[in-house]
């Protein structure tokens, strides 16, 4: 029976999803790995996968497609760009995979782009032709789908929603070296920073924030009527709505999906986000749907598997 | 012999292009028309076209595709939105066209979107899979092509580049009711206004500007060393580069084409535009090409013909 793999490539482990070609997730398993740059490391990956297959009475030759989602740019033609956060030799890993799974079509996909495709295959974007996923996590990523196809971009920057400029006067520098990127306000780190800044401005003691990305405490404070938390979340929604209004002037999608860790509080901030979007967007497209993503942190695993299947011509 | 029509629908006339299916323009003719809302007006159009066909030894039955570009939104599904600047009954006109040219596949395309497709068929984007055309005219329009296909948008707002917000603090209101749209600075009207404003600020007498969209005089002044013209064109380039840098974060095209009347001065402002883009864009995609469009005011006529042919499955 044909099988499809979706592999989340992280810094210290990979997460393997074993799927049927119809998109049913049979098993998900984490495999701790060293840096993916030599044969020993590749063998850890391929033998780990082979064991997962065996547990489902499947052989390496049953794998027809294998997607890998990675935290870095992948261009329209599949070229992998610079990966600052992981050690990975893409060619070596592909070589090892095709040697072990000879029938498999292999595809690299940027992680946020993969998450968008995952929502198409098994999440909140099933049957949707054009939408944009915005993943509000440690950073802000995104994936753009139009005409049912991913827009990876000529330089792999398609869906880099987190780097839309929303505040030209921002004095702080973004990780990309520029100023006033959406990511500086709508990431988990951004929301926590906006909260602490507002508390400082007012001279009030903030609630206990566990770490730089602890948005849970900020949203809990908001639920308890903390005005500074209210201001922080309003600012986040304002900047996010502005970025969405810019995207609509470019691609005019039928749907926005909000994912990532911060989206755990989607029900709390969605009314404000939708209201601000209505105010800021071009009137023609102000009624676009803004919804929560459906697959959580499995989305990228689904999506890279789907893209490999699509490349093969079977999705 | 099969023929293809591209029809530019304007306020007081239509312009008909007769093409071969390979994209060779056989003839271009202007037909003055009353408001396109009744049978008499439709007959003026169809009989005018029939005469053009006859001059090329072709009959109405030779027309296999007929595109119409219109100054208003057309959604991904072909639905025509509100048309503020012309009187047109889309259904009636299509009925008259299909009655006269029974084999023809008919398609409506927004004019700026059509111009982008025109550049694919016979202009500066031949063979390019992903690019954005920005038409700097009386207003600022745009067309987005990705994976070789037009992105018309769920509400017909795909490529509404002119309404990307580039200056939230702008006190003047844009035609769309919002503030700080690119169109307010990079349209012909915008450039002339920026020039006159700078002259007033400095208390210097501007050169003679013939009308509100006379950028020719502004660029002539620039060539003669007029500092206010220099400031105006710098501002235009700054805002345009900012908008392009936002687009790159969404779909990361391989090429930007600058068209429209203002692009007559492309050679003058291109170096400044490219320099500002390099400074403002996400580093990954800062080396994207920024070039002049190739087809001038024939682009939309080419493009709507091409889209109708594509809908038929022959392009």
């Amino acid at each position: 029976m044909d099988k499809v793999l979706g592999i989340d490539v992280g810094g210290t482990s990979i997460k393997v999803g074993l799927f049927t070609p119809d998109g049913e997730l049979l098993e998900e398993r984490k495999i701790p790995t060293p840096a993916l740059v030599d044969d020993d490391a590749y063998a850890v990956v391929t033998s780990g996968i082979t064991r997962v297959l065996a547990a489902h009475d499947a052989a390496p030759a049953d794998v027809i497609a294998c997607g890998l989602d990675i935290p870095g740019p992948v261009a329209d033609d599949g070229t992998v760009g610079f990966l600052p956060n992981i050690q990975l030799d893409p060619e070596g890993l592909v070589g090892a995979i095709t040697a072990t799974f000879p029938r498999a079509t292999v595809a690299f996909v940027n992680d946020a782009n993969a998450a968008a495709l995952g929502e198409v295959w098994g999440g909140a974007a099933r049957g949707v032709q054009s939408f944009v996923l915005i993943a509000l996590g440690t950073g802000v990523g995104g994936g753009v789908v139009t005409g049912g196809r991913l827009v990876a971009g000529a330089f792999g920057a398609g869906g880099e929603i987190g780097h839309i400029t929303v505040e030209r006067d921002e004095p702080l520098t973004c990780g990309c070296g520029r100023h006033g990127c959406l990511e500086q306000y709508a990431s988990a780190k951004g929301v926590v920073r906006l909260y602490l800044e507002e508390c400082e401005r007012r001279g009030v003691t903030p609630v206990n924030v566990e770490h730089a990305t602890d948005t849970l405490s900020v949203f809990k404070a908001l639920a308890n009527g903390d005005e500074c938390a209210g201001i922080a979340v309003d600012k986040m929604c304002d900047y996010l709505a502005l970025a969405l209004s810019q995207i609509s002037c470019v691609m005019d999608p039928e749907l926005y999906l909000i994912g990532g860790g911060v989206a755990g509080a989607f029900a709390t901030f969605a009314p404000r986000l939708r209201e601000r979007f209505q105010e800021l967007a071009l009137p023609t497209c102000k009624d676009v749907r803004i919804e929560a993503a459906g697959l959580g942190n499995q989305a990228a695993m689904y999506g890279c598997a789907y893209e490999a299947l699509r490349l093969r011509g079977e999705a």
Side-chain angles (χ1 to χ4, degrees), chain A:
Chain A
M1 291 290 283
D2 291 347
K3 296 285 181 291
V4 182
L5 298 171
I7 306 181
D8 242 355
V9 180
T12 54
S13 70
I14 66 165
K15 197 171 69 182
V16 177
L18 179 66
F19 295 90
T20 67
D22 296 330
E24 190 196 339
L25 178 62
L26 301 172
E27 186 172 339
E28 179 185 340
R29 194 181 296 181
K30 211 171 188 172
I31 304 175
T33 58
L36 292 167
V37 291
D38 59 35
D39 289 345
D40 290 349
Y42 306 150
V44 172
V45 173
T46 53
S47 63
I49 296 172
T50 302
R51 280 194 298 277
V52 174
L53 286 164
H56 291 268
D57 295 327
D62 291 327
V63 178
I64 57 168
C66 174
L68 299 116
D69 70 79
I70 54 175
V74 181
D76 280 328
D77 63 4
T79 312
V80 175
F82 176 63
L83 304 171
N85 301 318
I86 54 165
Q87 277 196 286
L88 170 70
D89 169 10
E91 282 181 33
L93 182 57
V94 168
I97 288 172
T98 49
T100 311
F101 312 109
R103 290 175 63 209
T105 303
V106 181
F108 281 102
V109 190
N110 162 271
D111 51 9
N113 286 350
L117 289 173
E119 296 292 339
V120 175
W121 206 27
R126 269 180 276 203
V128 176
Q129 283 298 299
S130 80
F131 75 99
V132 177
L133 171 90
I134 295 99
L136 309 175
T138 312
V140 172
V144 171
V145 170
T146 172
R149 298 280 293 274
L150 180 71
V151 179
F155 303 91
E160 283 289 355
I161 307 306
H163 297 290
I164 288 180
T165 306
V166 291
E167 182 59 83
R168 288 188 90 177
D169 299 330
E170 173 64 57
L172 296 177
T173 309
C174 177
C176 71
R178 293 147 73 239
H179 294 264
C181 294
L182 175 65
E183 179 163 297
Q184 294 184 276
Y185 313 98
S187 62
K189 214 168 153 181
V191 173
V192 171
R193 177 175 68 85
L194 288 174
Y195 172 63
L196 295 176
E197 278 178 6
E198 187 60 26
C199 290
E200 200 182 325
R201 181 164 25 236
R202 297 188 178 201
V204 301
T205 309
V207 297
N208 186 35
V209 170
E210 306 276 335
H211 47 81
T213 60
D214 177 18
T215 53
L216 206 62
S217 295
V218 177
F219 281 104
K220 207 178 284 173
L222 177 64
N224 292 330
D226 186 321
E227 283 185 21
C228 295
I231 298 282
V233 173
D234 271 4
K235 279 191 182 170
M236 176 199 91
C237 288
D238 177 61
Y239 286 125
L240 182 52
L242 178 64
L244 300 191
S245 77
Q246 313 282 53
I247 299 170
S248 282
C249 288
V250 182
M251 330 268 321
D252 185 24
E254 57 184 284
L255 172 68
Y256 288 105
L257 288 180
I258 312 295
V262 181
F266 183 75
T268 305
F269 66 76
R272 178 70 181 157
L273 174 62
R274 292 185 182 122
E275 184 192 324
R276 286 301 284 145
F277 182 82
Q278 290 251 343
E279 290 162 11
L280 293 172
L282 197 61
T284 328
C285 42
K286 73 181 172 41
D287 292 323
V288 65
R289 285 186 294 140
I290 303 177
E291 305 292 348
L295 289 176
N297 62 14
Q298 291 182 317
M301 201 178 68
Y302 271 81
C304 65
Y306 179 64
E307 178 67 3
L309 203 57
R310 195 195 61 74
L311 264 188
R312 191 185 177 81
E314 297 190 15

